[in-house]
Amino acid sequence: MKFQNAILSIATAFSGANNNMVDAKLWNLRGFGNANNNNEVMMKNDEVINHSGSLVGEELPSPSANMGELFLSEQQGERRLPKKKKDKGDDEVEGASKKKGDKKKKGQKEQKIGDAILEGAPGDAAAKAGCDELEDDVVDQFRRILKKGENGVKKSKANKEDVSSGLCDSCTTSEERTEADIVASHIDIMVEVPDDPTCDPDDKESCIETGAGDDDTLTPPEEGEGASPSEEGEVGAEFEATSRQLMDGRRLTGNTNQIGQFAPLSCNPVEFDCTGAAGLSTVVGGGPVVVPCGTCLVYDLGDEATIGGLHIIGKLLVPTNYKSTLSTPYVFVQGELEMSDNQPISEDNTSMKIVLTGNTDVMFTPHEPVAGAAPLNVGEKPFLVAGGKLNIRGWDDVEGSGTTWTPILAMAEADRLHPDPIVGETAARTALPHLSNPTITCPNKVVHDFEGGVDFSVWKGGDGNVLSYDEASGTLTATNLRRDWQGFRLDFTKFTKDCPLTQDATYLVTIRLKIEDPTLEDGAVSICETNNHPDHCPKLGRSIIKAEGKGWLYDDKVRLLPSSIGRNNEWFTFATEWTWDENDLTDTVAQVFYLENFKPGQILHMDEFQFELPSSKSYAPVEDPCLELVVNGDAENADGRGWHHYPMWSGRTDRFIPTILEETVDGAVNKYWHIENRVWVGDSLRFHVNHQCFIRGYKYTISLRARFTGKTHPVRYWFEIKGDTATKGYRYNKPLSCPSQSAADGWVTCSGDFVVDEHYEFTSSPEIILVTQDENDSTGYVDWDFDDVSIKFKSGPAAGLEVGGSDAARWAVNSDVHITSSTLHGQDAQDGRVKAVSQKANGNVVLELENPITPVFSEKETPGYGVEIAVTSRNIKIIGEDDGTYNGGYLQVFHTPGVAQVIEGVEFFNMGQTSRKNRFAIQLLYNGNVEGTSISSNSIRQSNMRCISVDGTANATIASNVGAGITGHCFYFDRVSADNMVIDNLASNINNRINWNNRINGWDDYDADGFSIWSPFNHFIGNVAAGGHKRGFRYYLDYWTLGEDLIKVDGIVRRSPMGTFKDNKAHSNFRQGFLLADFEQFFQFRDPENVPVFENLSAYRNREQGIYSYNCVYCKFIRGFLSDNQKGIEIRRSDGITLQDFVIQGQTELFKNYVTDNNSHKLCGHSGWTYEGIHMMGTLWRLGHQDPGFGIRVKNVVLSGFDKEKEYYDNCPSTEPIGLSADTHYGAHFDYKTSFENVTVDDGRGIILDGCRASSYGYPDIVINDIDGSLDPDMSASSGALVSDQTYMTGLFGDTCKSTAGCMSYCAGVCLGMFTLFTERYGTENYKLRVTNTASTLSVEIPGNVRTYNERWNTYAYD
């Protein structure tokens, strides 16, 4: 009988007949054994067994020494050191193996590997060498492979019957994973396996667990793909066969591994003497141009030259700063090409430009024989270096030369525009001239305020109606109302006869009125409001009387709405708008306004009647119309004597119109906007704004105060700006979403910024509306009050950018620049051209651009995580001709070991050929050791396929290069690249032109990462990935080692020590900033100090995880900064993690205000995505006795800002500083041993981890040991533990535990361990585990948790 997962050492135990309990003291032992590695696949199950209880308690002394420590696991297991190897030279590897218990050497295997990387290793090498050979230092082996070797390497064919996985089935131990383990651990990726092609990056619901989308390339095999431990041998063969089929199916024609190496030509001298050399023109004829071997020629062609091809067998020297454009279908370099430029970088200073032309394939024949290379079809537009040397120096790295890219220190804003006013639309009108006497000025308004009496020649009451004037109050009164047509009448003819009305102009009518109904008490609701029926509400009408024979008398009427009528015998204001069209004004002899439809017996009082053209109060100031877009948003300065709603309006004039009300607060009178009688979520204050003020790059601040009455349920709302745009059709933009508020909150202020982009470039004045949520017909609609509504200019587009003066030392006027994205999308990067460069007193310079750009985050606003600017022009250019395809030129250094190439300061434009193998902008293709090579300070723009691809090449320096607008991966390093220094490179705006259907079989450029890294042997320092279509850095170590043309060679790279990885940054990537997958170096050395270290990483504004760690064993993350990511760092299938010296921020208000309302630009882009700072596992992934034995240690970490995202984006299901994975709880309880030290969690809710949510995932018993008490909410404990707030978790500790937010409890002064007890699966459903603290006699009863298993994986009575 096997106990696969855990054994409980019990001192005393009994089975209670009545209560089915097991009583045990706290002595425990974690399980050992390789079988535990299969827990993931064992999750796929259908049969239920009982997992009885997990315990957390104070650790008591272990009853025997062999139990060891429960928590601190660095002493667990032996540390297996790498075996020493004899070095028999660069061309030989000695592999020695020793079987268990047998110290006798079994023999040696010698293999010549000078060019083995090109030929592939024998498939049975590992099997013949023995298991222990796998522990050899793979780094040394690779480095010897990459050294310069000899031609004519002996080839070996792999035996298809052998299992060449690098493992021995016959002697696999717990230290080495079996084939089944590989399957179980997702190591089914023979080559660069794609994401699920059905997973849309904008719709990842099917590709995620509960947070941001998991990495689809790391998907475990479906049920049936793996095998149980008992089927291990069969599975190994099946898996190997499947892997070989997969590899064979992905090979392309045109493989290069059979081609030999190129060497410097024997006919050329070691150093050329070009003194007095002839000109290239001497060999130019009508066809291809050849520079003869042993000869140096000097380039002397004119400004424009076209040739039939250039083959440099000798040496071609281009004089420094020589200006010429050379068009050629190819460039072959078997000798040497030298050119240089030392001018300031500017399009005006373009010197040598090589344009690769044509779309027909070109044949290359080596000058001296090379195996497999006579001749070679090298495709179209090649720039091929085969045995030759490039010495191109367009940007020497000397003092004072500056840098190719630098952070933006600050922005210099463009001036705010002042569009010309449009009369009647953005500016007030004036009245038309007097008809009979031009010297008389017609007024813009007619006011009857009755202060000096009443003109009864124009005011009437209708037949039988009595009008009277109260001199004391200055009011006009109508009494004796008996008919509905009685009321107030104003003969308007006298005014319009001499002062004509303006056709189609808006006129405002404002009436101050009081209705007195003797049958009602003062303050009672009017009959209009009570009945809400048109027949019971007053109406304001207009009669237009035509001349005889010119038409009929006709009327227009506007009903006074119940929402605007005051209470009985109380003053109120009624406001409306009128226009006159051409028909209204033609042949009109009389006009009358009348107010009627009152209840008989009512008494009417009018205090004022005002008729006017809207004044300047109703328009933005003409001297600065774009400073504040909202007119009278505070309701304090309206027309109509301060009471007319214009220019605000209603979308439902039959239900409500905006009304100005006033209140007295602390002795001050305040006016505000009131909306009632709503029946829809969009019933709100509405207004138009000047569309000319929406200039791309403008930043506006939206703010308002709001409150509501009428209902008790909370309500949210958003600010919507909608209208027709120039390029995006009709747009509904939501620049501001306001959090939920209740009636009891009173006035609540909501504000935020937004930046004008193409979605706001309206063709006419857009409409502003406030749209509510949480309202419908069943809940009812609340009455809203609004005040201080504002859309105010904050900043303009960036006309200039401030950068360090020394950094931009070579940047000059008329140079192109690239600015990285400030959003979650790399496509939001921008390009510009420098118009002027000015020096500042502080030593910085300001780059003035020809055209302003959208504002970006600079170091001023976001210190340490602003965006970058790069100069993308170079004076030396290599360009692929634009022939309407995505097939530009390509530069390739091919099979040329031992030759130092210098390619510095070159602009590569329209290079690379989409979805074509080995047709990349720049490629070092299996050159072995090229020490001294420098690929630096280059600009790769609009590449159709990658930036720089390093394949099978070692000891090159890849530094300060800029890639922008790239298809496929930008920087790529294959599995056997080694010892390359990759420093200070910038990758930006990687596009998605490649998809699953047009990919290169075997490669995954459809993922389009900034840095795609498959080898652990290189060094990455100070690089920035800003805008990967998928990821910024994808650092993935495959189990298999694939060489040229994806041929498998020996070695397990994921268990090899990695090079330096520090000071790298990732931002604006559509998925992860850093994907770090499959680092198993710990299994090679068993030394917790000799493990992968990721140092000083920064990840911010990435749409999913900042750092995504997958299968990282004993990885250390030391120093770092994470901000504005969906998840700061996610730890999956990873044990032994150290997270130290990190600052982890949630969503910052600055970024929230910057993004548009497009969901893909926002965090929480999907309703299922949780928002977390640290997303970790709850269950250990490996349980072997030599495995790390703990989950994660967190030290010196600050988490903040995770209490705001629910307010910012209410579609997030939760926002937590720390969250747990929902799909790795195979243990049915929490056993991810975790310790925190000096951890600060700044959360206004008091939440560190949501235990309620975690419990729903299968973690009812969380334990986080707090080494120094920093998690104690009272800050009084010197140490303790944060545990699930369950009685069985806290009951043993008395009053030392206190409940905290999020269903958690903090227990001071305890240090807790864990163990798991598995019971027999049948008949134990109701068992509980009773645990007693013998010192205090306190006890708890722990319920069991049921686990589900597949019989195929486990048939034992005990799990």
Side-chain angles (χ1 to χ4, degrees):
M1 181 177 294
K2 292 186 178 181
F3 296 83
Q4 285 196 321
N5 292 73
I7 303 172
L8 177 65
S9 177
I10 302 177
T12 58
F14 65 90
S15 176
N18 297 325
N19 53 13
N20 288 335
M21 295 183 183
V22 176
D23 195 73
K25 293 185 179 180
L26 311 184
W27 296 337
N28 54 287
L29 177 65
R30 280 304 300 228
F32 306 114
N34 183 58
N36 291 304
N37 289 339
N38 293 318
N39 279 325
E40 180 201 3
V41 270
M42 294 163 69
M43 287 283 297
K44 297 179 179 179
N45 43 67
D46 298 310
E47 182 178 347
V48 176
I49 68 169
N50 183 47
H51 162 214
S52 181
S54 63
L55 168 70
V56 183
E58 289 188 278
E59 294 192 52
L60 300 180
S62 174
S64 61
N66 67 338
M67 293 188 178
E69 295 184 350
L70 289 177
F71 186 74
L72 298 177
S73 60
E74 290 185 350
Q75 303 302 319
Q76 279 191 336
E78 67 181 28
R79 296 178 179 175
R80 186 166 185 175
L81 299 177
K83 294 179 174 59
K84 295 182 179 180
K85 298 184 294 183
K86 287 186 178 180
D87 188 356
K88 300 193 68 176
D90 291 341
D91 297 328
E92 294 182 347
V93 173
E94 179 180 11
S97 63
K98 297 180 180 180
K99 291 187 177 181
K100 292 184 177 180
D102 186 3
K103 297 184 179 180
K104 182 179 180 181
K105 179 184 293 185
K106 295 290 295 180
Q108 298 180 341
K109 180 182 180 181
E110 298 183 358
Q111 181 184 5
K112 187 175 182 180
I113 63 167
D115 287 331
I117 195 167
L118 302 177
E119 308 302 332
D124 59 351
K128 293 180 180 178
C131 295
D132 288 340
E133 187 179 58
L134 298 177
E135 301 296 336
D136 288 348
D137 188 348
V138 182
V139 183
D140 290 344
Q141 181 181 355
F142 274 21
R143 288 173 178 164
R144 283 195 297 274
I145 290 174
L146 289 167
K147 288 184 178 180
K148 180 180 178 181
E150 300 176 1
N151 293 327
V153 178
K154 181 180 179 181
K155 299 180 181 179
S156 301
K157 287 188 177 180
N159 186 346
K160 291 186 177 180
E161 305 301 322
D162 279 329
V163 179
S164 57
S165 63
L167 297 174
C168 271
D169 292 341
S170 60
C171 50
T172 298
T173 69
S174 62
E175 301 173 31
E176 298 165 346
R177 295 193 296 176
T178 66
E179 295 284 1
D181 297 331
I182 297 171
V183 176
S185 300
H186 305 178
I187 316 305
D188 61 338
I189 305 172
M190 179 63 180
V191 292
E192 298 173 33
V193 175
D195 288 352
D196 181 355
T198 63
C199 278
D200 183 350
D202 284 321
D203 185 15
K204 301 293 291 182
E205 296 295 343
S206 61
C207 313
I208 60 175
E209 41 103 7
T210 58
D214 294 336
D215 193 275
D216 309 313
T217 66
L218 307 172
T219 304
E222 297 296 333
E223 186 168 357
E225 292 181 3
S228 67
S230 62
E231 299 169 328
E232 183 176 321
E234 181 181 355
V235 156
E238 289 179 355
F239 187 64
E240 174 65 13
T242 302
S243 299
R244 289 183 179 278
Q245 292 171 4
L246 180 61
M247 183 182 73
D248 291 340
R250 288 185 171 181
R251 288 178 181 164
L252 294 180
T253 58
N255 289 348
T256 57
N257 69 86
Q258 75 279 4
I259 301 172
Q261 294 179 338
F262 293 83
L265 298 176
S266 60
C267 55
N268 280 330
V270 176
E271 295 290 340
F272 278 91
D273 182 2
C274 294
T275 304
L280 181 65
S281 59
T282 61
V283 296
V284 173
V289 176
V290 177
V291 178
C293 195
T295 302
C296 177
L297 297 178
V298 176
Y299 189 94
D300 61 348
L301 304 186
D303 291 345
E304 300 283 342
T306 300
I307 60 177
L310 178 61
H311 193 163
I312 305 172
I313 302 176
K315 177 174 181 177
L316 177 61
L317 172 64
V318 181
T320 301
N321 303 337
Y322 191 91
K323 291 184 177 293
S324 180
T325 296
L326 176 67
S327 297
T328 175
Y330 64 84
V331 175
F332 297 148
V333 181
Q334 293 190 83
E336 180 179 352
L337 172 62
E338 179 180 342
M339 52 183 166
S340 60
D341 186 287
N342 56 20
Q343 305 171 93
I345 301 299
S346 170
E347 293 299 310
D348 299 331
N349 291 335
T350 297
S351 54
M352 193 64 201
K353 179 195 295 186
I354 298 175
V355 181
L356 300 169
T357 63
N359 53 18
T360 57
D361 288 356
V362 176
M363 303 302 292
F364 166 69
T365 301
H367 187 68
E368 296 178 350
V370 173
L376 291 178
N377 184 333
V378 292
E380 61 182 88
K381 305 183 186 75
F383 193 124
L384 180 68
V385 180
K389 177 180 180 180
L390 295 179
N391 187 9
I392 306 176
R393 299 179 185 273
W395 192 312
D396 287 336
D397 186 15
V398 297
E399 186 177 355
S401 62
T403 61
T404 58
W405 61 270
T406 184
I408 296 176
L409 302 180
M411 293 185 299
E413 294 179 15
D415 294 333
R416 185 167 63 252
L417 295 180
H418 295 74
D420 295 332
I422 303 174
V423 174
E425 183 175 328
T426 63
R429 297 177 184 270
T430 58
L432 295 177
H434 195 278
L435 291 179
S436 59
N437 187 353
T439 62
I440 300 176
T441 301
C442 288
N444 281 349
K445 69 174 65 175
V446 176
V447 179
H448 293 263
D449 59 7
F450 313 116
E451 292 296 331
V454 178
D455 184 357
F456 285 105
S457 67
V458 297
W459 284 101
K460 307 292 182 182
D463 296 341
N465 184 15
V466 177
L467 291 187
S468 61
Y469 172 65
D470 185 344
E471 185 175 357
S473 62
T475 58
L476 181 66
T477 302
T479 57
N480 198 33
L481 274 65
R482 298 180 181 273
R483 298 286 187 268
D484 59 2
W485 42 264
Q486 293 176 324
F488 292 117
R489 295 191 178 188
L490 172 62
D491 185 351
F492 215 60
T493 307
K494 180 178 179 180
F495 174 79
T496 59
K497 181 177 180 180
D498 293 325
C499 290
L501 299 175
T502 301
Q503 179 180 316
D504 298 325
T506 297
Y507 286 87
L508 310 182
V509 172
T510 310
I511 303 174
R512 188 80 166 159
L513 195 66
K514 180 169 67 175
I515 303 175
E516 182 181 350
D517 190 336
T519 65
L520 298 176
E521 295 182 0
D522 289 350
V525 177
S526 69
I527 187 174
C528 172
E529 187 172 357
T530 300
N531 297 335
N532 194 18
H533 191 278
D535 292 342
H536 299 148
C537 295
K539 298 175 182 178
L540 176 65
R542 176 186 65 177
S543 291
I544 297 177
I545 303 169
K546 295 288 188 176
E548 185 175 355
K550 297 298 182 179
W552 300 91
L553 176 145
Y554 61 92
D555 297 311
D556 297 314
K557 296 182 180 180
V558 177
R559 179 169 70 109
L560 275 68
L561 299 177
S563 60
S564 62
I565 294 180
R567 300 298 177 91
N568 187 50
N569 207 24
E570 294 181 356
W571 289 103
F572 67 92
T573 299
F574 170 68
T576 186
E577 302 159 26
W578 297 87
T579 60
W580 279 259
D581 60 21
E582 182 179 8
N583 184 58
D584 296 334
L585 298 176
T586 303
D587 299 320
T588 297
V589 297
Q591 299 200 50
V592 176
F593 277 111
Y594 54 90
L595 195 60
E596 62 179 19
N597 206 41
F598 293 97
K599 175 184 174 184
Q602 288 183 332
I603 303 171
L604 310 182
H605 305 275
M606 182 181 293
D607 182 62
E608 181 178 323
F609 178 95
Q610 184 163 304
F611 176 87
E612 62 186 319
L613 284 168
S615 73
S616 60
K617 294 180 179 180
S618 295
Y619 300 95
V622 293
E623 66 275 7
D624 197 358
C626 296
L627 177 61
E628 172 60 71
L629 303 187
V630 182
V631 177
N632 199 29
D634 60 1
E636 297 290 347
N637 192 31
D639 276 321
R641 290 286 184 93
W643 300 102
H644 203 288
H645 56 266
Y646 189 83
M648 306 298 181
W649 55 283
S650 168
R652 293 177 181 264
T653 55
D654 61 326
R655 301 290 303 183
F656 72 92
I657 57 173
T659 305
I660 295 177
L661 300 180
E662 66 179 11
E663 61 185 354
T664 301
V665 180
D666 298 330
V669 177
N670 177 62
K671 287 185 175 181
Y672 59 91
W673 295 100
H674 177 72
I675 306 293
E676 64 178 67
N677 204 26
R678 301 170 58 249
V679 293
W680 178 60
V681 294
D683 287 344
S684 73
L685 198 67
R686 294 191 179 199
F687 53 94
H688 290 101
V689 296
N690 189 348
H691 70 285
Q692 295 175 301
C693 294
F694 285 100
I695 306 297
R696 186 179 296 202
Y698 273 24
K699 180 185 287 188
Y700 285 96
T701 297
I702 300 178
S703 63
L704 73 161
R705 296 194 304 142
R707 69 181 177 187
F708 69 84
T709 57
K711 297 291 183 289
T712 57
H713 64 273
V715 180
R716 298 165 293 167
Y717 64 93
W718 71 70
F719 209 97
E720 187 170 282
I721 305 178
K722 58 184 181 178
D724 281 308
T725 65
T727 60
K728 297 296 182 179
Y730 197 91
R731 292 291 305 176
Y732 296 83
N733 300 312
K734 294 183 283 187
L736 178 67
S737 294
C738 297
S740 178
Q741 65 184 80
S742 64
D745 294 331
W747 287 109
V748 175
T749 299
C750 181
S751 65
D753 297 343
F754 76 96
V755 178
V756 175
D757 59 12
E758 66 273 18
H759 299 101
Y760 290 87
E761 293 179 327
F762 299 103
T763 57
S764 59
S765 296
E767 177 185 341
I768 313 296
I769 181 175
L770 302 169
V771 181
T772 63
Q773 297 172 275
D774 312 308
E775 291 187 300
N776 51 51
D777 292 341
S778 61
T779 63
Y781 297 89
V782 302
D783 298 337
W784 280 100
D785 295 331
F786 299 105
D787 200 2
D788 300 329
V789 183
S790 172
I791 305 177
K792 192 169 185 178
F793 177 87
K794 184 173 184 179
S795 62
L801 302 171
E802 182 177 342
V803 299
S806 59
D807 292 341
R810 286 194 67 180
W811 303 18
V813 172
N814 208 26
S815 60
D816 291 339
V817 292
H818 176 84
I819 300 95
T820 60
S821 172
S822 291
T823 73
L824 304 179
H825 281 262
Q827 295 93 319
D828 290 326
Q830 304 174 81
D831 295 298
R833 176 162 287 188
V834 177
K835 179 180 178 181
V837 179
S838 58
Q839 192 79 28
K840 296 190 68 175
N842 61 3
N844 295 336
V845 297
V846 174
L847 307 174
E848 182 182 349
L849 305 181
E850 287 186 354
N851 297 301
I853 62 168
T854 299
V856 295
F857 290 131
S858 70
E859 293 296 302
K860 180 180 179 180
E861 296 86 17
T862 54
Y865 60 113
V867 305
E868 299 80 18
I869 181 172
V871 60
T872 50
S873 293
R874 297 292 185 274
N875 296 340
I876 298 176
K877 303 178 188 293
I878 299 177
I879 296 175
E881 180 185 44
D882 185 1
D883 56 7
T885 69
Y886 291 128
N887 298 322
Y890 72 93
L891 187 151
Q892 182 182 96
V893 181
F894 179 54
H895 287 197
T896 303
V899 179
Q901 311 289 340
V902 177
I903 308 172
E904 296 179 345
V906 180
E907 177 183 340
F908 293 87
F909 186 87
N910 193 36
M911 297 288 282
Q913 299 173 6
T914 300
S915 300
R916 290 184 176 179
K917 178 183 176 183
N918 294 334
R919 297 294 183 261
F920 311 131
I922 305 173
Q923 183 181 26
L924 301 179
L925 181 57
Y926 279 80
N927 299 291
N929 184 1
V930 291
E931 187 172 356
T933 290
S934 173
I935 313 295
S936 303
S937 301
N938 300 293
S939 165
I940 303 97
R941 290 204 279 170
Q942 306 305 314
S943 169
N944 303 301
M945 199 67 183
R946 298 188 185 170
C947 299
I948 300 176
S949 185
V950 180
D951 304 87
T953 301
N955 289 306
T957 296
I958 315 295
S960 300
N961 299 286
V962 174
I966 308 302
T967 296
H969 304 306
C970 191
F971 296 93
Y972 179 90
F973 299 84
D974 83 336
R975 294 163 177 81
V976 290
S977 59
D979 289 327
N980 298 292
M981 299 299 297
V982 186
I983 304 171
D984 292 339
N985 299 283
L986 173 65
S988 175
N989 191 12
I990 318 301
N991 64 52
N992 61 346
R993 188 181 299 158
I994 298 176
N995 55 46
W996 175 256
N997 296 319
N998 69 347
R999 73 196 186 282
I1000 305 174
N1001 285 334
W1003 282 265
D1004 66 345
D1005 288 88
Y1006 47 81
D1007 271 1
D1009 304 322
F1011 291 77
S1012 183
I1013 307 166
W1014 294 77
S1015 165
F1017 309 125
N1018 301 296
H1019 306 278
F1020 296 85
I1021 303 171
N1023 303 284
V1024 175
H1029 173 62
K1030 283 294 182 67
R1031 308 166 187 90
F1033 293 81
R1034 186 194 192 199
Y1035 202 158
Y1036 169 61
L1037 302 183
D1038 203 348
Y1039 194 83
W1040 314 104
T1041 303
L1042 305 180
E1044 191 166 10
D1045 300 323
L1046 300 183
I1047 293 176
K1048 190 192 300 182
V1049 297
D1050 284 342
I1052 305 175
V1053 292
R1054 69 174 49 172
R1055 296 189 177 183
S1056 302
M1058 64 174 280
T1060 302
F1061 197 86
K1062 64 183 294 187
D1063 300 335
N1064 298 300
K1065 294 185 177 184
H1067 69 87
S1068 305
N1069 297 288
F1070 194 72
R1071 295 195 64 186
Q1072 297 94 8
F1074 295 89
L1075 168 62
L1076 309 171
D1078 295 318
F1079 289 83
E1080 298 180 353
Q1081 178 177 338
F1082 177 73
F1083 296 143
Q1084 175 85 348
F1085 304 104
R1086 302 292 178 179
D1087 180 355
E1089 298 303 320
N1090 190 359
V1091 293
V1093 178
F1094 303 95
E1095 189 175 357
N1096 196 29
L1097 303 187
S1098 295
Y1100 41 92
R1101 300 190 293 273
N1102 296 289
R1103 186 169 177 263
E1104 296 184 12
Q1105 299 91 342
I1107 300 174
Y1108 185 94
S1109 169
Y1110 183 94
N1111 188 32
C1112 285
V1113 183
Y1114 237 121
C1115 291
K1116 294 184 178 181
F1117 297 89
I1118 308 298
R1119 292 189 299 122
F1121 174 80
L1122 308 174
S1123 180
D1124 295 298
N1125 307 291
Q1126 184 71 34
K1127 294 180 180 178
I1129 179 170
E1130 179 166 352
I1131 309 295
R1132 292 179 64 80
R1133 274 82 168 171
S1134 302
D1135 300 333
I1137 298 297
T1138 295
L1139 184 68
Q1140 182 174 328
D1141 301 325
F1142 262 74
V1143 172
I1144 304 177
Q1145 295 180 172
Q1147 167 82 66
T1148 60
E1149 186 173 7
L1150 187 67
F1151 180 60
K1152 179 188 82 75
N1153 292 337
Y1154 184 88
V1155 299
T1156 69
D1157 59 303
N1158 186 326
N1159 270 351
S1160 66
H1161 283 72
K1162 291 182 176 180
L1163 295 169
C1164 291
H1166 291 272
S1167 59
W1169 289 7
T1170 56
Y1171 195 105
E1172 297 159 347
I1174 301 174
H1175 180 94
M1176 66 183 194
M1177 298 172 63
T1179 306
L1180 285 175
W1181 193 242
R1182 291 178 172 84
L1183 301 175
H1185 71 286
Q1186 289 189 328
D1187 290 330
F1190 72 95
I1192 185 172
R1193 293 188 176 115
V1194 182
K1195 183 177 181 180
N1196 302 336
V1197 173
V1198 177
L1199 297 107
S1200 65
F1202 295 94
D1203 53 352
K1204 301 174 183 176
E1205 281 61 43
K1206 197 68 178 175
E1207 300 176 13
Y1208 291 169
Y1209 299 123
D1210 45 35
N1211 61 324
C1212 271
S1214 71
T1215 60
E1216 307 165 40
I1218 301 170
L1220 297 181
S1221 178
D1223 63 348
T1224 57
H1225 55 280
Y1226 68 89
H1229 80 118
F1230 183 92
D1231 72 350
Y1232 200 62
K1233 297 177 182 178
T1234 301
S1235 69
F1236 280 36
E1237 181 178 359
N1238 193 27
V1239 175
T1240 300
V1241 179
D1242 184 1
D1243 191 288
R1245 307 162 301 177
I1247 292 178
I1248 297 175
L1249 184 151
D1250 188 342
C1252 297
R1253 188 176 183 85
S1255 181
S1256 70
Y1257 293 163
Y1259 306 117
D1261 52 358
I1262 298 168
V1263 176
I1264 296 177
N1265 278 300
D1266 180 17
I1267 303 301
D1268 61 351
S1270 56
L1271 299 183
D1272 180 12
D1274 297 337
M1275 301 302 294
S1276 59
S1278 59
S1279 65
L1282 186 70
V1283 302
S1284 298
D1285 196 9
Q1286 302 282 357
T1287 302
Y1288 55 78
M1289 298 293 293
T1290 61
L1292 292 177
F1293 314 121
D1295 58 1
T1296 63
C1297 298
K1298 51 197 171 189
S1299 296
T1300 64
C1303 303
M1304 299 295 288
S1305 183
Y1306 188 86
C1307 300
V1310 300
C1311 183
L1312 306 180
M1314 314 170 206
F1315 71 86
T1316 305
L1317 171 67
F1318 293 91
T1319 68
E1320 207 281 343
R1321 68 174 67 183
Y1322 302 108
T1324 62
E1325 292 83 359
N1326 298 318
Y1327 274 33
K1328 293 183 180 179
L1329 179 67
R1330 179 186 294 158
V1331 181
T1332 302
N1333 186 329
T1334 57
S1336 65
T1337 71
L1338 295 174
S1339 65
V1340 294
E1341 297 176 359
I1342 304 175
N1345 294 308
V1346 176
R1347 298 207 311 175
T1348 306
Y1349 277 89
N1350 189 321
E1351 282 291 341
R1352 177 184 177 189
W1353 296 102
N1354 196 315
T1355 58
Y1356 308 116
Y1358 296 89
D1359 179 37

